[in-house]
Amino acid sequence: MYSTESQSMSSNPYQWVEKLKSESHREEAVGKLRVILMGGLKGAFFRRGQNDAFCEDVCQESLIRVMKNIDSFEGRSKFTTWAISIAIRVGISELRRRHHKDVSLDAITSGNDMKIELAITEDDVSGNAIDQRAILETLSNLIENQLTEKQRTVVRALLGGMPVEEIARRTNSNRNAVYKLFHDAKQRLKSGFENSNFSLSDIESVFA
Amino acid sequence: MPLSKQQISTLISLVVNSTPDSLSCDDCLVNVAEFAETELMGTSLCESMLKVKQHLNNCPCCNDEYQSLLEALRSLNN
Ligand SMILES: [Zn+2]
């Protein structure tokens, strides 16, 4: 897929930048980059059930994104790898947006008071019944007492299958902030478990 | 609606395997191309690449994108 010239450009990643910024070489360089991006996008998205038209739309948007951010390229990878990493995020974001288009945050977090309720039924407590029940009660208490309401919402939505950027879109936030809420929530729950009577390996094995 | 058994299991696994993470998702995107090349070449990871690895372990969304990036790069190398 990589042409010889494209390969030589990859040995000096800034050649791509120079050509893409040069008026006389831009069109040709964009054409070459388009071919490479399309090859990568097809490799990644055909197996996710997408077609040429999807890859072409993503490629077009990615080329715009690459040109807009070209000065942030630091030369620590091949230019094409950097461009493909941007294109993959564009494509997956689009798939996530389409998939969750008609899903509201309330539908996933169940609307009422954002509280995470743990269903503990007799079916769930077979085997290590006592441990499971005690661990679930600890988890329930930690969720209730150690997490903020925003953290509970984010954890609930992620467990419901909504990706961080879609939660961000629905809460007027951004992906970084939503991820931080999620990560801080996990760390608080982990530290709560560490201060409980259970070892982390026991907890994991009981629910494996 | 209460959490399902599967969701409880997922949450417990995410919590137990959670490690400190100093990167945001955007920091991860800035570094992921270099990380992917390093992994594909099998060379050892420097400190900044270890941070990317930690973020990918902690962030299911960035990890999903990373798996697709690897698929894209492998398909170009074939
Ligand atoms: Zn992330």
Side-chain angles (χ1 to χ4, degrees):
Chain A
M1 181 55 73
Y2 286 106
S3 69
T4 310
E5 190 185 347
S6 299
Q7 275 176 336
S8 87
M9 278 165 79
S10 70
S11 62
N12 174 5
Y14 285 107
Q15 276 188 24
W16 273 103
V17 178
E18 284 162 20
K19 292 202 171 179
L20 286 166
K21 287 172 112 176
S22 129
E23 262 183 47
S24 54
H25 292 98
R26 183 180 305 131
E27 201 178 323
E28 190 191 351
V30 167
K32 284 180 179 158
L33 186 56
R34 183 190 301 276
V35 170
I36 292 169
L37 287 184
M38 276 301 285
L41 288 168
K42 286 179 184 179
F45 288 104
F46 278 9
R47 67 177 61 206
R48 287 178 183 249
Q50 302 306 310
N51 57 17
D52 276 316
F54 174 84
C55 293
E56 273 161 23
D57 287 349
V58 171
C59 185
Q60 191 56 33
E61 171 63 26
S62 303
L63 284 168
I64 294 168
R65 200 83 63 98
V66 164
M67 292 306 289
K68 198 172 150 194
N69 292 294
I70 199 161
D71 289 328
S72 69
F73 175 64
E74 296 174 6
R76 289 186 283 114
S77 67
K78 288 178 191 167
F79 181 82
T80 48
T81 309
W82 176 77
I84 291 167
S85 71
I86 291 173
I88 293 293
R89 185 173 278 196
V90 169
I92 292 188
S93 293
E94 176 57 18
L95 285 186
R96 287 172 180 155
R97 195 186 62 76
R98 288 184 190 181
H99 187 73
H100 295 277
K101 185 166 56 95
D102 300 321
V103 183
S104 75
L105 194 61
D106 278 356
I108 285 185
T109 56
S110 81
N112 49 24
D113 57 357
M114 305 294 185
K115 191 169 152 184
I116 296 184
E117 186 188 338
L118 294 163
I120 307 172
T121 68
E122 291 309 314
D123 281 353
D124 292 334
V125 290
S126 56
N128 301 310
I130 296 168
D131 278 356
Q132 274 207 3
R133 189 181 290 277
I135 291 167
L136 285 176
E137 278 171 7
T138 302
L139 177 62
S140 186
N141 285 333
L142 289 172
I143 287 168
E144 186 62 25
N145 299 315
Q146 299 294 317
L147 303 190
T148 65
E149 189 175 316
K150 279 185 177 177
Q151 286 173 330
R152 280 194 288 270
T153 304
V154 165
V155 169
R156 192 73 174 87
L158 279 158
L159 289 174
M162 187 173 276
V164 280
E165 62 208 302
E166 291 302 307
I167 299 170
R169 198 194 302 279
R170 286 159 178 77
T171 53
N172 293 321
S173 183
N174 61 64
R175 178 168 171 165
N176 292 342
V178 171
Y179 172 71
K180 185 158 175 25
L181 282 169
F182 174 55
H183 189 254
D184 289 350
K186 284 191 298 176
Q187 293 285 86
R188 281 192 191 189
L189 295 176
K190 184 175 184 178
S191 124
F193 272 138
E194 282 166 342
N195 293 326
S196 73
N197 295 324
F198 310 103
S199 75
L200 293 177
S201 57
D202 285 351
I203 292 171
E204 201 175 19
S205 66
V206 167
F207 287 91
Chain B
M1 196 199 301
L3 290 179
S4 68
K5 198 172 171 184
Q6 181 60 47
Q7 287 175 323
I8 291 171
S9 224
T10 303
L11 177 59
I12 284 179
S13 172
L14 286 168
V15 167
V16 169
N17 294 304
S18 170
T19 56
D21 181 2
S22 54
L23 296 193
S24 68
C25 295
D26 286 346
D27 296 331
C28 181
L29 180 60
V30 167
N31 291 289
V32 77
E34 182 185 1
F35 180 78
E37 288 182 354
T38 310
E39 285 266 287
L40 287 174
M41 284 189 298
T43 40
S44 61
L45 301 174
C46 64
E47 197 176 323
S48 64
M49 291 300 103
L50 284 171
K51 287 182 180 176
V52 177
K53 188 174 184 136
Q54 276 179 337
H55 184 78
L56 293 173
N57 284 340
N58 280 295
C59 180
C61 292
C62 284
N63 194 42
D64 186 30
E65 290 162 21
Y66 177 63
Q67 298 310 320
S68 279
L69 174 60
L70 290 181
E71 282 161 13
L73 295 175
R74 287 193 187 111
S75 73
L76 285 170
N77 286 332
N78 282 339

